Amino acid sequence: MLDDFMTRATLAGVGVAFAAAPLGCFVVWRRMAFFGDATAHAAILGVALSLALNISVFAGAMAVALIMALVVTLLAGRGYAMDTLLGVLAHSSLAFGLVAVSFLSGIRVDLMAYLFGDILAVSRSDLVVIWGGAALVVALVAWRWSALLTSTLSEELAYASGLDPKREQLILTVALAITVAVAIKVVGVLLIAAMLIVPAAAARGLARTPETMAVIATAIGAISAVAGLQGAYVLDTPAGPSIVCVAAILFAGLNLIGWRNRSGA
């Protein structure tokens, strides 16, 4: 079954949805959309370093994404405006990564695959990495779910409950770096943030509890992956962007239905 490239691609897309959707809920709740985007942009520098050092792209992308997220977290508490800091680091790391790739001699690099994903080229070993990373992220979020929710709701409430909001932020940062690393093969660095945010945003109006929102967001992400791949196959369009387009259509449709229901109530 795994010999079929469409089967591998579908499994890869669903695996990324399982990792990105629950984490994306916290990104939406904490208004960290630009944070996720900046972390994803940094991954291209990790790709360049991985190719130069002949190590796993997954390991390099995750390491640089994690370093980027930690740097932002540390500098944010020292008087820097968060949006300005993220803008500088995101675009600088992407630019340095692209320049670094241009210096790699004797190595054929398909930048479009890393920028927009190459899900149709996913191998069996890639599936192991993607699903392993997704399982790790889901386990991490499930383990700290209550603490993460409390810290997201109020730092004062977290301290009163004996929790350290900075530690929970670090856990979220680690999970985000892992997600970026596993998603880079599927949707590329420029579309990873979309897979984090769009399914979660689409699920927000349908859910009455945080847990329900995470489940619905996962379902929307998985549906987007499957439908996007089928649409790309039929229409001969890029697979990664097609997945995000389906997620955006679902977001628009669900919000339109919600708006009509509220108007009619």
Side-chain angles (χ1 to χ4, degrees), residues 102-192:
S102 69
F103 283 109
L104 298 176
S105 59
I107 301 177
R108 183 178 176 275
V109 181
D110 184 3
L111 279 178
M112 294 296 288
Y114 290 112
L115 292 176
F116 297 103
D118 191 13
I119 190 172
L120 298 180
V122 167
S123 64
R124 293 188 180 190
S125 59
D126 290 329
L127 282 178
V128 173
V129 170
I130 291 169
W131 277 94
L136 184 58
V137 169
V138 170
L140 196 59
V141 172
W143 172 51
R144 303 302 302 171
W145 181 261
S146 179
L148 286 170
L149 278 178
T150 303
S151 299
T152 299
L153 181 64
S154 169
E155 287 193 0
E156 290 76 14
L157 181 60
Y159 282 121
S161 303
L163 300 171
D164 183 357
K166 292 183 179 179
R167 181 185 63 190
E168 303 309 320
Q169 173 71 28
L170 178 61
I171 291 173
L172 204 60
T173 297
V174 171
L176 185 60
I178 296 172
T179 302
V180 167
V182 300
I184 193 171
K185 182 80 173 182
V186 177
V187 291
V189 299
L190 298 183
L191 299 176
I192 291 172

